[in-house]
Amino acid sequence: MNLYEITFKVNKAVNANEVADLFKASGIRRPVDDLTRIDRMISNADITITAWNHNRLVGMARAITDFSYCCYLSDLAVHEDFQKKGIGRNLISLLEQEIGENVSLILLASPVAMDYYPHIGFQSIQNGFIKPRKR
């Protein structure tokens, strides 16, 4: 698998079953048995960027933002079969393009992901990570 087999989409409609399956396969801990809640998580996000291998959802970044000052990356999930191939990095890069350089990208990391985020350019803060605004 290479990135040429992956298609990235901004705000493409996804359903709760697809997202719950992705969460399960990625190792991220989310309420995967509560599809109503997953559906609300999707529909209330300001930005959803997805990665597709043909018609299969293999990655997603879900964010809440004001598009002016800050953006909270609430989910970054990549299917375990597709991890370590640059998909997460591409999802974040596309998210940064959507929010622009005046917006800080903020997240809280699970303990197992603490080494990942500094590797892709986030700076450590006391209880999370931040990519500062460029202006």
Side-chain angles (χ1 to χ4, degrees):
M1 197 284 309
N2 59 45
L3 284 181
Y4 296 110
E5 298 170 353
I6 301 297
T7 304
F8 295 91
K9 303 281 184 180
V10 177
N11 294 326
K12 176 182 175 23
V14 292
N15 67 54
N17 285 313
E18 290 173 310
V19 173
D21 288 346
L22 173 63
F23 286 163
K24 290 176 198 173
S26 71
I28 193 172
R29 294 180 60 192
R30 295 294 182 269
V32 295
D33 295 325
D34 187 346
L35 295 180
T36 301
R37 188 171 181 191
I38 296 286
D39 186 58
R40 284 194 318 265
M41 290 167 62
I42 299 163
S43 62
N44 289 311
D46 295 307
I47 303 173
T48 304
I49 303 185
T50 51
W52 300 84
N53 178 248
H54 305 288
N55 292 325
R56 179 181 180 195
L57 179 64
V58 298
M60 182 175 75
R62 188 178 67 85
I64 310 299
T65 185
D66 57 17
F67 293 98
S68 179
Y69 188 75
C70 63
C71 177
Y72 175 66
L73 176 58
S74 49
D75 294 316
L76 180 65
V78 176
H79 189 291
E80 66 184 347
D81 292 345
F82 294 81
Q83 291 177 3
K84 301 187 189 237
K85 300 185 184 315
I87 293 172
R89 182 184 302 265
N90 277 280
L91 289 167
I92 290 171
S93 177
L94 289 167
L95 176 58
E96 288 180 298
Q97 289 175 33
E98 289 296 310
I99 62 175
E101 63 182 23
N102 291 329
V103 179
S104 293
L105 182 55
I106 304 164
L107 64 89
L108 299 175
S110 75
V112 298
M114 293 297 287
D115 292 334
Y116 175 71
Y117 292 104
H119 174 74
I120 60 170
F122 282 79
Q123 297 173 14
S124 178
I125 57 176
Q126 210 169 38
N127 65 340
F129 296 90
I130 185 169
K131 278 196 171 187
R133 290 173 296 284
K134 295 184 179 171
R135 298 191 273 148

